[in-house]
């Protein structure tokens, strides 16, 4: 419907009505509004409050980061949840903070040092760590300022950092407890090693991608005692300590237990029998390099094989003269060349595409490496994390994501938690001169004296962030915050970090908090993608800085667009056109509220009783209450896309178009009816702006405070469904809408201009539409019939008849073709529905809701056939 925000001509300017600028300017409104909210303490939670708590802790973004669309997406949803709960009367805490991001931050500072021609070793550990803290203060936390731009209603008084004093105490405490409970131990095992970051990384920090490599088949042994092994990593053969075959493989039965010559070396190695070997794969014989492959390490453990490390931490060869000092990839080529010269290369395949692990941070090829590291024994912790979901203490939403969670926690390997970095929480273990090992808690003094030294490693970043839901509330102290706000209500995060972060928090929360899970619900979102559904990547050139869109269209537009695409667990496509559309929606809200204010919309006084209201007023109040109920249900089910869509169509279509348009005739008429409609319009706007506020906080705050004269919608009461429904009024207005829509469609098909007036006769007898004749004529530009009226088209709609005199304007043949096409479509739909309802197999298998949907389609198709047939019959002869 066309928008008209101008004052009704029969009403003079309402001098007492509050004024709004003619256009909404987000850039002028958003910054000052946000600072006002913060200054007034709206986002500061009170641990002493008697209100029920509602808590969300923010997934702590990296201190190196800046606001990207993924952040903006999740922050919008978390902000919407906490804003609504605050309005519902909860003591709402959304706790912000940052993660120290061990490897990422250390890399940043090391790059900075490299530009100065220095390395961290030139500074030494203490000076380097001090340099990182300086960097953090200068560059870190950029994202926190950007969160303000987005409108994040976080409690800035409770902002935390994973290496602040309190969280460091929490880390040391839980390490000590886990160590004392024998759930942390030190052992030499195969780990994922990054030769560039020079640290161990966990399994979940390894990204696998298909690389072009080579598969070479090498002959081991001499004479009758030979066999062939195939490998993609020929350089590791220098560390082979056996060849393994399946114990039932008759081809190699004569070799089991024998020693064979290892090419290029002066060593012999045994042939061992192990059921891990697949006799059907390749030659059925595999080289065993226990120090450089996790499967080989396990075979080595079973057979008591030695582990020979043949590469240093940078991936350079450390053994065997000809290859000593070569980079691992250089050594690969050199070794294959040497084997080829000796005639030991049986076959070569290149390129050979296979999955290769890469460091998720620097993309360097990961090297499996035997190393002494610290580990968490995850078995009992993971069991508890799985049980908490299985027994219903924690809900995963959407439920089908539970399988991914169980696949991880039920099959989790022990977690390598030590990192060979300098930035992070240093492992609280001291080693003595005689091999003593002492783990020190936060209130204990470390051992002193000659020969005592602290472990040089730091803890995996995910170790400290795994404590986030309770360490940020003051644990291990029994603080008022911990008592009030733990357990948190919702963890809202991307499904991509269910393994990194979610499982870790579940394990630690249940362990540290006596079996109380860290959150009641895990709400998993998808990832933001471009408008074509493609992953956003700098290499693709499709990365969007949300600040650019905020500058251009306002934060509300970005937020609403993100919410409108947020279906649980599924990825979110987003394009600039959609943000523009959301900006248009914000403008629509603004202009419609201006119109309402100019026409006396008010929230003062009680609503008139229903029996004193027009059908139009009763209809919009009925629809308002139904919308409140729908929105509440969608919020409780984390259906953000559906609630945003519901609000969009209710606000734009039903309030700002239909109700405002239908009310114009009432306002023009003045009197008690106009006063009643002004009060109803104020009521509807009041609650509609409240419903929109959690997703679009800035424009709704400006409009609501102007409309009501009250302090802030941030602390206003959330709308409640009063239970008022008026099916009669809804049916009446639906019929009115049908008449207006159908005649408008007919006018458009005939090429009539929107403002062109047409003579018409209305027959509304037998309907409930008689009271709406004035609105019908005004909205459809229908003038009364005069002498000489000749009905050239008669439209039967919703029991009413609209006869139009389109002499000289109507294209009869075009209208006949249009109606014939519509009739054919309705008849086809009727035939399809009839066939399905007559199919016993379909009726037996289909859900009742699906069957009912088909029945509804059939009723509509039959009604359309009757309506269109009548229209065809009413057309004049061509």
């Amino acid at each position: 419907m066309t928008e008209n925000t101008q004052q009704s001509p029969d009403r003079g300017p309402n001098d007492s009505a509050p004024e709004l600028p003619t256009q909404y300017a987000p850039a002028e409104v958003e910054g000052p509004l946000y600072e006002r909210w913060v200054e007034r303490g709206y986002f500061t939670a009170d641990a002493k409050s008697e209100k029920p708590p509602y808590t969300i802790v923010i997934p702590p973004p990296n201190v190196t980061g800046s606001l990207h669309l993924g952040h903006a997406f999740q922050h919008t949803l978390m902000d919407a949840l906490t804003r609504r709960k605050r309005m519902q009367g909860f003591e709402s805490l959304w706790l912000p903070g940052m993660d120290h991001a061990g490897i990422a931050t250390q890399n940043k500072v090391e790059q900075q040092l490299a530009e100065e021609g220095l390395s961290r070793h030139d500074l030494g550990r203490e000076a380097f760590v001090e340099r990182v803290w300086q960097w953090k203060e200068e560059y870190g936390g950029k994202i926190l300022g950007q969160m303000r731009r987005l409108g994040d209603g976080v409690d800035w008084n409770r902002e935390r950092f994973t290496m602040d004093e309190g969280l460091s105490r929490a880390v040391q405490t839980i390490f000590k407890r886990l160590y004392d409970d024998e759930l942390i131990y030190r052992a030499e095992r195969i780990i994922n090693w990054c030769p560039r970051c020079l640290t161990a990384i966990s399994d979940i920090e390894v990204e696998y991608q298909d690389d072009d490599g080579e598969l070479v088949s090498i002959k081991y042994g001499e004479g009758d005692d030979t066999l062939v092994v195939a490998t993609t990593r020929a350089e590791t053969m220098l560390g082979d300590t056996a060849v393994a075959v399946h114990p039932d493989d008759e081809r190699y039965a004569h070799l089991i237990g024998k020693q064979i010559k290892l090419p290029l070396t002066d060593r012999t190695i045994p042939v061992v029998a192990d059921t891990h070997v697949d006799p059907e794969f390749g030659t059925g014989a595999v080289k065993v390099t226990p120090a450089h492959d996790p499967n080989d390490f396990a075979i080595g453990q079973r057979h008591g094989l030695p582990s020979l490390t043949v590469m240093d931490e940078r991936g350079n060869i450390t053994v065997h003269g000809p290859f000593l000092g070569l980079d691992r990839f250089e050594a690969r080529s050199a070794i294959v060349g040497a084997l080829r010269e000796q005639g030991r290369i049986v076959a070569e395949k290149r390129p050979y595409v296979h999955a290769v692990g890469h460091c998720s941070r620097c993309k360097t090829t990961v090297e499996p490496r035997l190393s002494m590291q610290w580990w968490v024994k995850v078995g009992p912790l993971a069991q508890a994390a799985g049980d908490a979901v299985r027994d219903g203490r924690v809900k995963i939403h959407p439920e089908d994501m539970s399988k991914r969670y169980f696949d991880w926690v039920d099959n989790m390997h022990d977690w390598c938690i030590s990192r060979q970095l300098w930035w992070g929480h240093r492992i609280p273990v001291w080693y003595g001169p005689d091999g003593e090992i002492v783990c020190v808690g936060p209130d204990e003094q470390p051992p002193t004296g000659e020969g005592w030294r602290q472990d040089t490693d730091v803890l995996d970043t995910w170790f400290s962030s795994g404590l986030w839901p309770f360490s940020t509330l003051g644990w291990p102290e029994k603080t008022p915050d911990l008592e009030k706000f733990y357990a948190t209500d919702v963890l809202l995060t991307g499904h991509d970090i269910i393994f990194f972060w979610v499982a870790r928090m579940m394990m630690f929360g249940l362990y540290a908090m006596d079996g109380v899970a860290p959150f009641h619900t895990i709400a998993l979102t998808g990832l933001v993608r471009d408008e074509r559904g493609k992953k956003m990547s700098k290499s693709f050139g499709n990365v969007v800085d949300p600040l650019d869109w905020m500058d251009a269209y306002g934060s509300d537009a970005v937020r609403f667009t993100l919410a409108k695409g947020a279906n649980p667990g599924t990825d979110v496509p987003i394009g600039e056109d959609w943000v523009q559309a959301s900006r248009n929606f914000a403008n629509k809200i603004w202009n419609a509220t201006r119109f309402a204010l100019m026409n006396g919309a008010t929230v003062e006084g009680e609503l008139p009783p229903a029996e004193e209201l027009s059908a139009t007023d009763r209809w919009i109040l009925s629809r308002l209450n139904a919308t409140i109920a729908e929105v509440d249900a969608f919020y409780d089910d984390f259906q953000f896309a559906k609630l945003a869509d519901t609000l969009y169509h209710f606000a734009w279509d039903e309030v700002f178009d239909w109700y405002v348009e239908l009310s114009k005739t009432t306002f023009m008429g003045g009197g008690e009816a106009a006063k009643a409609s002004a009060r109803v319009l104020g009521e509807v706007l009041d609650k509609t702006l409240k419903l929109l506020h959690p997703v679009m906080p800035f424009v709704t705050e400006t409009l609501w405070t102007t409309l009501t004269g009250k302090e802030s919608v941030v602390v206003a009461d959330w709308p409640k469904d009063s239970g008022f429904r008026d099916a009669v009024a809804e049916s009446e207005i639906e019929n009115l809408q049908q008449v207006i829509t159908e005649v408008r469609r007919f006018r458009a098909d005939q090429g009539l201009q929107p403002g062109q007036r047409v003579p018409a006769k209305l027959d509304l007898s037998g309907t409930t539409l008689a009271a709406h004749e004035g609105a019908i004529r005004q909205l459809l530009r229908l003038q009364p019939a005069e002498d000489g009226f000749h009905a050239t088209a008669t439209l039967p709609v919703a029991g009413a008849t609209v006869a139009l005199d389109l002499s000289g304007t109507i294209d009869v043949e075009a209208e006949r073709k249009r109606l014939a096409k519509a009739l054919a479509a309705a008849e086809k739909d009727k035939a399809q529905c009839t066939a399905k309802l007559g199919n016993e197999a379909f009726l037996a298998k289909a859900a009742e809701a699906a069957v009912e949907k088909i029945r509804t389609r059939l009723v509509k198709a039959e009604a359309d056939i009757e309506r269109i047939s009548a229209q065809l019959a009413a057309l004049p002869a061509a």
Side-chain angles (χ1 to χ4, degrees):
M1 302 183 71
T2 55
E3 182 177 308
N4 182 354
T5 61
Q6 300 307 309
Q7 183 107 9
S8 176
D10 293 342
R11 293 173 62 89
N14 188 339
D15 295 333
S16 63
E19 294 184 0
L20 286 169
T22 56
Q23 291 184 326
Y24 177 48
E28 299 174 10
V29 169
E30 292 174 354
L33 258 190
Y34 186 84
E35 294 308 316
R36 190 181 314 155
W37 291 335
V38 173
E39 288 167 7
R40 291 179 177 178
Y42 293 154
F43 307 140
T44 302
D46 182 2
K48 297 179 182 179
S49 167
E50 294 183 0
K51 296 178 182 178
Y54 184 82
T55 315
I56 295 180
V57 290
I58 206 166
N62 289 351
V63 72
T64 59
S66 60
L67 191 73
H68 57 64
L69 273 177
H71 288 126
F73 169 56
Q74 292 180 0
H75 287 205
T76 293
L77 305 188
M78 286 184 279
D79 195 32
L81 289 172
T82 49
R83 282 179 183 269
R84 171 177 174 258
K85 285 294 183 180
R86 186 178 293 112
M87 295 172 74
Q88 287 183 314
F90 287 77
E91 194 61 38
S92 194
L93 169 61
W94 185 20
L95 194 149
M98 301 290 292
D99 193 294
H100 67 279
I103 295 177
T105 306
Q106 178 156 323
N107 283 347
K108 288 279 188 182
V109 178
E110 288 199 76
Q111 290 168 11
Q112 195 178 62
L113 287 174
E115 294 173 1
E116 303 170 18
L118 299 171
S119 74
R120 59 173 163 142
H121 300 285
D122 294 323
L123 271 66
R125 182 168 192 144
E126 190 173 321
F128 176 77
V129 170
E130 179 59 32
R131 179 72 175 256
V132 181
W133 277 107
Q134 292 173 7
W135 184 93
K136 183 258 179 186
E137 294 304 317
E138 185 174 356
Y139 298 102
K142 176 182 178 184
I143 197 171
L144 298 176
Q146 295 167 336
M147 286 164 57
R148 302 172 92 93
R149 282 288 313 277
L150 188 64
D152 284 5
V154 296
D155 187 343
W156 292 111
N157 293 329
R158 287 180 168 88
E159 180 189 339
R160 302 306 299 267
F161 179 55
T162 51
M163 285 184 62
D164 67 29
E165 184 177 352
L167 269 63
S168 295
R169 178 178 177 81
V171 167
Q172 195 172 353
T173 299
I174 201 162
F175 187 99
K176 170 69 171 174
R177 291 187 186 180
L178 289 164
Y179 181 86
D180 289 346
D181 287 343
E182 298 183 351
L183 292 172
I184 281 183
Y185 63 94
R186 189 169 183 246
E188 189 175 45
R189 292 187 178 179
I190 291 286
I191 47 92
N192 304 297
W193 181 266
C194 177
R196 200 211 70 81
C197 296
L198 297 179
T199 182
I201 59 176
S202 65
D203 291 344
I204 52 179
E205 294 169 300
V206 178
E207 294 178 347
Y208 287 89
Q209 66 184 46
D210 287 340
D211 286 359
D212 288 343
E214 59 180 353
L215 180 68
V216 294
S217 298
I218 308 169
K219 183 173 66 176
Y220 281 33
E222 303 289 351
D224 293 336
D225 295 342
T226 62
L227 41 67
V228 175
V229 301
T231 181
T232 59
R233 302 172 67 221
E235 68 279 9
T236 64
M237 69 168 291
L238 301 177
D240 287 357
T241 57
V243 173
V245 298
H246 194 277
D248 299 331
D249 193 335
E250 295 181 357
R251 293 173 295 175
Y252 305 116
H254 67 289
L255 290 175
I256 295 174
K258 286 190 174 183
Q259 294 281 329
I260 62 172
K261 181 73 166 59
L262 178 64
L264 303 182
T265 72
D266 57 3
R267 292 191 291 116
T268 61
I269 57 176
V271 177
V272 299
D274 197 282
T275 54
H276 171 77
V277 180
D278 181 0
E280 302 299 323
F281 183 77
T283 65
V286 297
K287 58 191 288 298
V288 181
T289 319
H292 292 279
D293 183 274
N295 294 321
D296 293 3
F297 179 77
I299 293 174
Q301 292 286 295
R302 288 193 289 270
H303 295 276
L305 301 173
S307 297
L308 301 180
T309 299
V310 297
M311 275 181 255
D312 65 13
E313 60 183 10
R314 299 182 183 276
N316 298 323
I317 301 298
T318 58
V319 298
H320 204 69
F323 313 110
L324 183 64
L326 291 181
D327 168 83
R328 53 187 167 155
F329 300 117
E330 296 173 337
R332 181 178 300 172
S333 298
I335 288 170
V336 170
L339 290 168
R340 192 182 297 115
E341 289 179 5
Q342 292 186 6
R344 288 192 173 273
I345 299 296
V346 176
E348 297 180 65
K349 182 178 181 181
R350 50 171 85 81
Y352 178 74
V353 178
H354 62 129
V356 177
H358 295 260
C359 174
S360 61
R361 291 176 177 83
C362 70
K363 312 309 176 187
T364 300
T365 300
V366 167
E367 190 64 42
R369 187 168 187 258
L370 186 63
S371 180
M372 182 67 76
Q373 301 285 345
W374 285 95
W375 304 80
V376 171
K377 186 185 295 183
V378 300
L381 302 173
Q383 176 71 42
D387 289 345
V389 175
R390 286 189 178 91
D391 64 25
R393 280 175 287 158
V394 177
K395 304 288 187 185
I396 292 182
H397 192 280
E399 190 175 353
D400 58 10
M401 284 283 178
S402 297
K403 182 179 184 302
R404 295 186 64 190
Y405 177 79
F406 290 131
D407 285 346
W408 179 249
V409 298
D410 292 347
N411 299 285
M412 195 182 298
H413 300 296
D414 283 1
W415 171 20
C416 176
I417 56 171
S418 46
R419 298 291 181 267
Q420 289 63 57
L421 304 171
W422 288 354
W423 171 246
H425 294 100
R426 195 163 173 183
I427 289 176
V429 170
W430 272 255
Y431 304 105
D434 298 318
E436 303 96 330
I437 298 179
V438 177
C439 180
V440 177
D443 297 317
E444 300 171 352
Q445 289 297 319
T448 58
E450 188 176 347
W452 284 94
R453 60 183 178 83
Q454 186 177 1
D455 196 301
T456 57
D457 289 351
V458 300
L459 288 163
D460 178 11
T461 295
W462 298 102
F463 190 94
S464 52
S465 59
L467 314 182
W468 191 252
F470 52 95
S471 64
T472 53
L473 297 173
W475 186 91
E477 310 303 327
K478 293 182 178 179
T479 63
D481 276 4
L482 192 65
E483 183 178 353
K484 176 75 174 181
F485 296 111
Y486 188 90
T488 68
D489 288 86
V490 180
L491 170 70
L492 190 144
T493 190
H495 62 67
D496 57 324
I497 61 171
I498 191 171
F499 315 124
F500 288 87
W501 193 44
V502 178
R504 312 275 193 241
M505 287 189 291
M506 285 288 283
M507 292 191 301
F508 283 165
L510 289 160
Y511 174 79
M513 299 301 295
D514 299 321
V516 179
F519 17 76
H520 302 306
T521 301
I522 302 169
L524 297 171
T525 70
L527 309 179
V528 177
R529 297 182 178 272
D530 70 13
E531 63 268 30
R532 297 178 182 85
K534 194 173 183 179
K535 180 181 178 180
M536 287 192 175
S537 167
K538 290 181 180 178
S539 60
F540 296 153
N542 62 351
V543 173
V544 174
D545 184 345
L547 294 177
D548 292 340
W549 281 354
M550 288 184 218
D551 290 341
Y553 308 112
S555 297
D556 286 330
V558 175
R559 291 170 60 114
F560 191 77
T561 305
L562 290 164
K564 210 163 186 285
N567 290 299
T570 59
D571 289 346
V572 183
I574 185 171
E576 188 166 4
D577 289 349
W578 305 340
V579 184
Q580 291 175 350
S582 295
R583 185 270 316 273
N584 294 343
F585 180 46
N587 289 341
K588 180 79 170 182
I589 299 169
W590 184 272
N591 292 331
T593 304
R594 285 189 69 246
F595 167 82
L597 291 171
M598 288 189 292
N599 284 277
T602 181
V603 296
E604 298 298 326
E606 297 293 324
L607 276 173
E611 58 270 17
E612 295 180 13
L613 296 176
S614 68
T616 306
D617 290 337
R618 298 197 309 276
W619 160 74
I620 197 62
L621 290 174
S622 181
R623 289 296 307 128
L624 171 65
N625 281 286
T627 299
I628 292 171
E630 289 176 27
V631 168
D632 278 336
F634 288 142
Y635 261 116
D636 292 341
D637 198 35
F638 304 100
Q639 298 279 359
F640 295 98
K642 290 182 179 179
L643 72 88
D645 192 61
T646 296
L647 286 172
Y648 177 87
H649 288 293
F650 174 70
W652 190 307
D653 299 342
E654 296 185 286
V655 179
F656 302 146
D657 275 355
W658 282 110
Y659 183 69
V660 167
E661 291 286 350
L662 292 172
S663 297
K664 286 178 181 176
T665 53
T666 307
F667 290 137
M668 290 174 68
E672 292 303 313
K675 289 182 181 179
S677 288
R679 179 64 186 89
V680 169
L681 180 54
E683 180 79 5
V684 172
L685 276 177
D686 168 33
K687 292 185 175 178
T688 300
L689 291 170
K690 287 177 178 177
L691 290 171
L692 285 165
H693 173 73
V695 179
M696 305 181 77
F698 294 108
V699 67
T700 53
E701 170 82 341
T702 305
L703 295 175
W704 187 85
T705 52
T706 304
L707 171 70
T708 66
K710 296 180 180 178
E711 180 184 351
S712 174
V713 71
V714 178
V715 290
D717 291 336
W718 182 253
K720 293 181 180 178
D721 174 10
S722 70
F724 175 76
R725 301 288 191 280
D726 193 326
V728 173
E730 288 199 38
S731 176
E732 182 175 324
I733 301 304
E734 285 173 9
N735 289 337
L736 176 60
Q737 291 171 330
Q738 191 175 344
V739 169
I740 293 171
T741 300
E742 192 62 33
V743 176
R744 277 182 169 164
R745 183 186 299 124
F746 177 79
R747 288 175 57 110
D749 289 341
Q750 298 308 309
L752 298 178
Q753 295 299 315
Q756 187 173 347
R757 295 195 168 273
V758 176
K761 287 184 177 180
L762 305 182
D763 182 0
L764 306 177
S765 59
T767 73
T768 57
L769 300 178
H772 301 286
E773 179 168 352
I776 292 172
R777 287 190 176 277
Q778 178 184 340
L779 294 176
L780 292 174
R781 306 297 189 268
L782 302 179
Q783 61 191 41
E786 298 178 350
D787 292 343
F789 176 86
H790 174 62
T792 57
T794 303
L795 306 177
V797 188
T801 302
V802 180
L804 305 171
D805 185 354
L806 302 176
S807 303
T809 62
I810 186 171
D811 185 339
V812 175
E813 189 57 33
E815 178 61 5
R816 196 180 303 281
K817 287 181 179 179
R818 184 188 74 83
L819 290 173
K821 184 177 179 181
L823 180 61
E827 289 174 337
K828 181 179 179 182
D829 200 32
K830 177 185 176 182
Q832 290 176 341
C833 293
T834 302
K836 280 194 173 183
L837 293 174
N839 184 334
E840 292 185 4
F842 169 76
L843 294 176
K845 294 180 180 179
E848 180 58 33
V851 176
E852 185 58 34
K853 189 175 181 180
I854 299 297
R855 293 194 185 107
T856 303
R857 276 178 54 197
L858 178 60
V859 171
K860 182 179 183 303
E862 289 173 338
D864 287 346
I865 291 170
E866 181 180 355
R867 172 179 57 81
I868 298 168
S869 297
Q871 290 176 330
L872 276 167
L875 285 176

